Amino acid sequence: MGRIFFVGLVMAVAACSASAQTRKPFPPGVVGAMQVDAGTEYVFLDRPSTVGGACKGWKAVSIQQPGRLGSGTLGVMCWKESNGRLLTATAAKVSPQIASMDLIR
């Protein structure tokens, strides 16, 4: 049983590594993307957010269908990088959850 678990773990790591290596470069103006579910993707843009509030001075996030750049909504959330960390916010508040920038690259 332990061997099966180990082999499964090795295969999962190999698959993740292969997918990370084959990721397409982002188009100009896109810093990164994160797939939320089968029908939703957050695209982190290199342009100012228009959300306001806690997002003042931060960058825009497009919430859209995967692979359909420009099809999303921009007025919901924003992002910024701080010391290699990804911070997100809405107009109301900054999210307490912090992730590595590697999550979106």
Side-chain angles (χ1 to χ4, degrees):
M1 178 96 155
R3 288 184 195 184
I4 293 172
F5 175 76
F6 179 74
V7 170
L9 181 63
V10 169
M11 290 175 62
V13 169
C16 289
S17 297
S19 105
Q21 291 173 353
T22 59
R23 180 176 249 183
K24 296 178 192 172
F26 296 113
V30 175
V31 175
M34 179 174 60
Q35 184 114 9
V36 179
D37 57 35
T40 310
E41 177 178 60
Y42 292 166
V43 177
F44 297 83
L45 305 172
D46 189 18
R47 68 178 183 199
S49 171
T50 57
V51 175
C55 286
K56 186 172 183 169
W58 290 36
K59 295 182 180 182
V61 175
S62 175
I63 301 171
Q64 62 189 37
Q65 293 177 340
R68 298 198 55 211
L69 190 61
S71 67
T73 194
L74 295 169
V76 177
M77 64 185 285
C78 59
W79 76 279
K80 78 174 180 177
E81 180 178 1
S82 177
N83 296 323
R85 302 271 187 213
L86 172 66
L87 306 174
T88 58
T90 63
K93 68 178 184 173
V94 175
S95 170
Q97 297 178 343
I98 299 171
S100 169
M101 284 297 290
D102 293 337
L103 180 68
I104 65 168
R105 292 190 172 143

